[in-house]
Amino acid sequence: MRPLRALLFCILLGAPAHAQGTPAELIQALQAAARAGDADAYRALLGGSGTFSVEGRNFAADLARVPQPSVTYKLSELRVDGDHARARLTLSWERTVGAVSLVSLPVRLERRDDVWRYAGEDMQVIPASTFTLGALNEADLPQRAAVLAPLLSGAAAQVQAVLGLTASPGATVKVYPSMSALSASVNLSLQPVGGWNEPGEAIKLMLPDGGTAERGALRLLSHEFAHLSVSAALEPGTDKRVPWWLHEGLADWVSSAYWADGRLDARHRSITTAAQSGWVPLDELRDFNAVPESRWGAVYAQGLGLVEFLTARSPDAPLKLARAFATSGDPDVSAQAVGFVTVGVLEAQARAWLAAR
Ligand SMILES: [Zn+2]
């Protein structure tokens, strides 16, 4: 009777046939799901709370989009404390053909009903007024990241000043020691980046070794707070209808106040050159997942150029355009909301304006 009863319990509780009873089994299962690109299986291995519950789902979705057949998951420095554990997770994978990426992160695991699940990076919380600021719990990063706490409200104020949007006072900011560690926590397919934000996720920020100049930190923070605030100003679930180039244009428009001397001039020169010859059709810069890395520069350059063109006509036009994209999902209807007959006309006039500037 006993085995049958146990089996019945498993079926009734919906427990997996081979639930991960140890941290080692959990890590093996994560690796198998990642290699197979099985997003559902990966999600079933996740616990955690807060923004990680969204970040983990998005990480799994990326594995289905870009499977990682060569990825290896390795656990070390395991410390179990009751139903919680801390450990070091080392990932190695071939993000681009022939180039092996290697990243290690301090992570948390949790056990419920005898089943271990992955609960995301081990972050140490740093007091930061109404915001939640966390730093990856390794070396002296939490102590170094404390310099960011008083800057968060300044970055939010910059978004308010430029776009008229209030940044969520409860925003979560997570700090990483390197671009590669940051990107490995987002998606294995993501090239190393210095900042990141997606709807429902934390703002993620790199704090390089040796600290960071205040202006550089404000540049990254205000850029990411702009993404957060624009997303929050749209109807839930419509953020992905806003073209990627427009999202980045708005964010760089906000953060350019903190750019290093000469960087905005250099950007303007590259926009002018692109407008004269080498313009990439905006439609090809619309979908983050469809834009090759070689064109990321065009997304930021042309996006800022479009925002500057629209702002010169009417200060609220860029955000109005973003809202129209989110509401309608139709490029021409969106262009009409800011006074152009079609999106093609908008693009042609912007390009001519930027080429002659
Ligand atoms: Zn951005």
Side-chain angles (χ1 to χ4, degrees), residues 39 68 74 102 125 128 138 171 179 186 210 270-271 278 310 331 342 349 352:
Q68 302 289 345
K74 232 182 86 189
L102 185 70
V125 175
E138 67 176 19
M179 295 205 292
V186 175
S270 83
I271 299 170
L310 290 166
T342 64
Q349 288 193 17

Side-chain angles (χ1 to χ4, degrees), residues 223-224 227 248 251 300:
H223 179 105
E224 302 304 336
H227 284 311
E248 296 306 344
Y300 290 81

Side-chain angles (χ1 to χ4, degrees), residues 195-197 220 223-224 226-227 244 247-252 300:
W196 180 260
N197 183 245
L220 286 168
H223 179 105
E224 302 304 336
H227 284 311
W244 185 33
H247 244 307
E248 296 306 344
L250 286 163
D252 269 0
Y300 290 81

Side-chain angles (χ1 to χ4, degrees), residues 244-319:
W244 185 33
W245 59 261
L246 181 52
H247 244 307
E248 296 306 344
L250 286 163
D252 269 0
W253 177 238
V254 169
S255 71
S256 58
Y258 303 114
W259 288 6
D261 293 339
R263 182 171 163 184
L264 187 58
D265 290 339
R267 176 72 75 85
H268 283 161
R269 283 195 297 277
S270 83
I271 299 170
T272 303
T273 305
Q276 289 166 349
S277 63
W279 186 261
V280 180
L282 290 177
D283 192 53
E284 294 176 24
L285 305 176
R286 179 177 46 85
D287 177 5
F288 172 81
N289 289 315
V291 178
E293 288 176 8
S294 60
R295 283 185 159 176
W296 278 33
V299 170
Y300 290 81
Q302 293 183 200
L304 179 61
L306 260 291
V307 167
E308 290 177 323
F309 164 72
L310 290 166
T311 302
R313 293 167 55 94
S314 167
D316 67 346
L319 198 54

